[in-house]
Amino acid sequence: MKKKGRGGGAITMGDIARHAGVSPMTVSRALREPGTVSDKMRRKVDAAVRQFGYLPNRIAGSLSSRRSNIVGLVVPSIRNSLYASMIQSVSDVLRANGLHLIIADSGHSLAEEEALVAALLAQRVCGLVLHNTVHSKRGCDLVRVAGVPVVETGNLVARPLDMAVSYSNFDAAKAMTVHLGRLGYRKIGFVTLPLRDNDRSKERRRGYLAALKELGLPVDHDLVLEAVGGLNEGADALVRLMQTGSDIDAVFFAGDVLALGALFECQRRGWNVPGRIAIASFDDLDLLRHTVPTVTTLRVPRAEIGRRSAELLVNRLRGAPPERVRIDVGFEIVQRDST
Amino acid sequence: MKKKGRGGGAITMGDIARHAGVSPMTVSRALREPGTVSDKMRRKVDAAVRQFGYLPNRIAGSLSSRRSNIVGLVVPSIRNSLYASMIQSVSDVLRANGLHLIIADSGHSLAEEEALVAALLAQRVCGLVLHNTVHSKRGCDLVRVAGVPVVETGNLVARPLDMAVSYSNFDAAKAMTVHLGRLGYRKIGFVTLPLRDNDRSKERRRGYLAALKELGLPVDHDLVLEAVGGLNEGADALVRLMQTGSDIDAVFFAGDVLALGALFECQRRGWNVPGRIAIASFDDLDLLRHTVPTVTTLRVPRAEIGRRSAELLVNRLRGAPPERVRIDVGFEIVQRDST
DNA sequence: CTGTTAGCGCATTCAC
DNA sequence: GTGAATGCGCTAACAG
């Protein structure tokens, strides 16, 4: 059983117009700018819309208006809860402003990020949020040529593609290391996440090393480890550091999951924290406030980063002049029982 | 160069065609079906595409072909890591098949889900994945009228809108409760997540009650608590249950974060687990394998749910006949040290 | 294999 | 305040 000869497809604005006895243009206006249409017309349109369960075709609308009202977001990993609160706040601000969000996951790969940026731009997103701050040459070119506003959020880069909202990974890691030094720890290990194509990891390690220098402590390369994410990796790293033979007294993990894994390993082995070994973390995963002992960490205002990023995009889309913006949201050291 | 005026905007397929000395249609084909175009033509097109950094406008393509190649996914909360692995596998399968994904977050609200479904359908998504299985009347109508394939994943409903890939929350909760009974626990508490508009929570509680009956244990309503998510809530619930005065010996938490919060509370108070109180959880959060003690839980194959959901959509989009599908991925009880 | 014609469903721009 | 004409950039369907 097909519809009338009228090409069986979905209901269009024209159909609604016909059934409401008005022109398609009036339907379009009644839906987007109800104020510019007389009450009588609007009621007729609304009735027909409800009757048919009509949903305007935004694809056609976007093509015609040359605006998609969709923002693209690329994070290194959707699974990492770290990004979740940022995603949420970006999403909330955009929705409050009638914009939609496409989230993509680059899997920490530069090539994948490039492919995703291309795909998003091909969808004609009207703005981008990129967590990574290291991009392929072509990725940069694509963004520049497209001319859409872009916010980079993973690290406060000196010269962003367009806008940046973040904190300094260098300053944060340095501050935490100095904090440990001031607490009296002298042999401070450091476990970094993979450094490849990752600005943030590199900056954190740089911060750690700069702090040692400032504290007048020697750099012991046996005390610096690289680990991929995960609880097991954190546990392994801790054990390896303890076995170096050096009298290591604290470990700073550049990722909260690593720190957590290490803490659990200590619980399993009965190593007192911080008595036998102190543990510090990066990023205030909610859990760190609940473990026994609670874990000292760096708090980064992830939600604020998301909110302000989205606000910048919204403003730009509303006509704010394109100017380089660089917002430092800062960070905070949360001293708890593990150090 | 008369009409081309550089101010006009982005580069179009027509521009590429002109510069490559071919027709727009050849450009279109060279990009989408390179095999159907001669080598010579394809090389000319590729050269022009690279020279201008051309990205085809998918909005125009979608409007013309009446296919968006975008799938919509609605989850109750992006922040919940539970959904993350499902999202990831959906995303992977879709991308491998040239489809994109829009993720939306309903905040556990029925009204919000309806609004999101409407927005996604207005974007003319070619498929939907809905985690929630309770929908508003209008939400159901919208989906049905749109005629796009839909997969529901949160609970294995008897009569899905279209397709369902999930496990039975009832069976799972019942199985775990029976498992606890068989281990010898006689006073088994239950902490549920909010029940409102939430099929999954209701089914889990039903399963718990059915198990008590099967075990021949009395139902003590003081031992059933409702808690919103979060570590604190889990801790609070545990303490309240312990203070009922009844000699409660085990608690089954219908959410992994709740269980974790309870476990940490036990660590803080020095309550032996499972000696003084046994703890069981729902959903195999990675952490539960690492805590001290490790936590008994229900493992649900979240990634498989995502993968199979996406595969069903892909098949349907490739022309598979619309038939009601109902896939039970099952679950597994993971017995660990907390019980 | 390649090109031509004719829309896709809406919003912009102008008349009225 | 309303409507008619026009085209957004691309692809389906056909013709050559």
Side-chain angles (χ1 to χ4, degrees), chain B residues 13 28 32 54 57 64:
Chain B
M13 200 169 262
S28 176
R32 289 176 306 133
Y54 169 68
N57 184 330
S64 181

Side-chain angles (χ1 to χ4, degrees), chain A residues 265-282:
Chain A
E265 185 68 23
C266 291
Q267 291 185 353
R268 280 190 291 271
R269 296 188 178 238
W271 290 346
N272 182 280
V273 176
R276 172 132 180 214
I277 183 79
I279 289 179
S281 175
F282 203 114

Side-chain angles (χ1 to χ4, degrees), chain B residues 6-311:
Chain B
R6 207 83 189 111
I11 293 159
T12 74
M13 200 169 262
D15 298 330
I16 300 299
R18 200 171 324 114
H19 285 271
V22 302
S23 79
M25 204 50 229
T26 299
V27 177
S28 176
R29 281 196 271 253
L31 260 28
R32 289 176 306 133
E33 311 164 307
T36 67
V37 168
S38 69
D39 277 16
K40 200 178 82 184
M41 289 284 174
R42 197 175 56 245
R43 270 196 298 276
K44 287 202 281 190
V45 170
D46 287 350
V49 165
R50 266 197 307 278
Q51 180 187 340
F52 290 90
Y54 169 68
L55 280 180
N57 184 330
R58 298 262 175 253
I59 294 185
S62 296
L63 180 60
S64 181
S65 67
R66 296 144 164 269
R67 274 184 292 98
S68 71
N69 283 358
I70 297 180
V71 167
L73 168 64
V74 182
V75 291
S77 161
I78 294 180
R79 294 167 92 150
N80 193 326
S81 62
L82 204 110
Y83 307 119
S85 65
M86 187 192 89
I87 295 177
Q88 181 92 57
S89 57
V90 168
S91 172
D92 290 347
V93 172
L94 292 180
R95 194 175 311 159
N97 286 277
L99 297 168
H100 295 270
L101 180 64
I102 299 189
I103 303 160
D105 175 331
S106 68
H108 296 276
S109 146
L110 250 177
E112 192 62 28
E113 191 203 42
E114 176 187 312
L116 291 171
V117 166
L120 291 168
L121 290 175
Q123 298 288 351
R124 294 304 187 261
V125 293
C126 55
L128 278 174
V129 180
L130 304 179
H131 188 84
N132 196 15
T133 49
V134 183
H135 316 289
S136 69
K137 169 79 169 58
R138 177 163 173 262
C140 293
D141 292 347
L142 283 171
V143 167
R144 234 182 295 269
V145 169
V148 301
V150 181
V151 184
E152 291 167 277
T153 64
N155 188 39
L156 196 62
V157 286
R159 200 188 143 292
L161 283 173
D162 181 8
M163 300 181 278
V165 178
S166 188
Y167 62 97
S168 162
N169 282 272
F170 173 82
D171 289 348
K174 183 176 169 195
M176 175 59 91
T177 310
V178 167
H179 175 75
L180 293 174
R182 299 242 169 88
L183 289 175
Y185 298 105
R186 304 259 71 98
K187 280 281 199 179
I188 304 169
F190 183 70
V191 181
T192 171
L193 288 165
L195 296 160
R196 178 157 189 245
D197 290 340
N198 192 326
D199 221 9
R200 305 174 298 283
S201 293
K202 287 175 186 157
E203 288 291 291
R204 291 179 190 181
R205 190 179 55 173
R206 229 165 48 76
Y208 161 77
L209 295 171
L212 289 189
K213 190 166 177 187
E214 185 169 314
L215 290 165
L217 295 175
V219 174
D220 181 346
H221 289 289
D222 287 345
L223 296 188
V224 178
L225 253 46
E226 181 172 337
V228 300
L231 293 160
N232 283 324
E233 289 281 325
D236 286 356
L238 180 82
V239 172
R240 269 188 291 156
L241 286 172
M242 296 294 277
Q243 289 170 343
T244 54
S246 67
D247 46 349
I248 186 167
D249 51 11
V251 183
F252 177 19
F253 290 87
D256 46 21
V257 177
L258 291 173
L260 211 52
L263 178 68
F264 291 142
E265 184 68 24
C266 291
Q267 291 184 354
R268 280 190 292 271
R269 296 189 179 237
W271 290 346
N272 183 279
V273 175
R276 171 133 182 211
I277 184 80
I279 289 180
S281 175
F282 203 115
D283 261 309
D284 192 16
L285 192 64
D286 201 27
L287 274 166
L288 300 180
R289 211 172 51 214
H290 289 263
T291 49
V292 180
T294 55
V295 179
T296 293
T297 192
L298 272 162
R299 178 179 296 151
V300 175
R302 300 273 170 197
E304 184 187 350
I305 291 177
R307 181 176 57 71
R308 300 193 70 167
S309 299
E311 285 169 356

Side-chain angles (χ1 to χ4, degrees), chain A residues 117-130:
Chain A
V117 166
L120 291 169
L121 291 174
Q123 297 289 352
R124 295 302 190 261
V125 293
C126 56
L128 278 173
V129 180
L130 305 177

Side-chain angles (χ1 to χ4, degrees), chain A residues 13-50:
Chain A
M13 201 169 260
D15 298 330
I16 300 299
R18 198 169 329 111
H19 285 270
V22 302
S23 79
M25 205 47 234
T26 298
V27 177
S28 176
R29 280 195 272 254
L31 259 30
R32 288 175 306 130
E33 311 164 307
T36 68
V37 168
S38 68
D39 276 16
K40 201 178 79 184
M41 290 284 174
R42 199 175 55 244
R43 269 196 299 275
K44 288 203 280 191
V45 170
D46 287 349
V49 164
R50 265 198 307 277

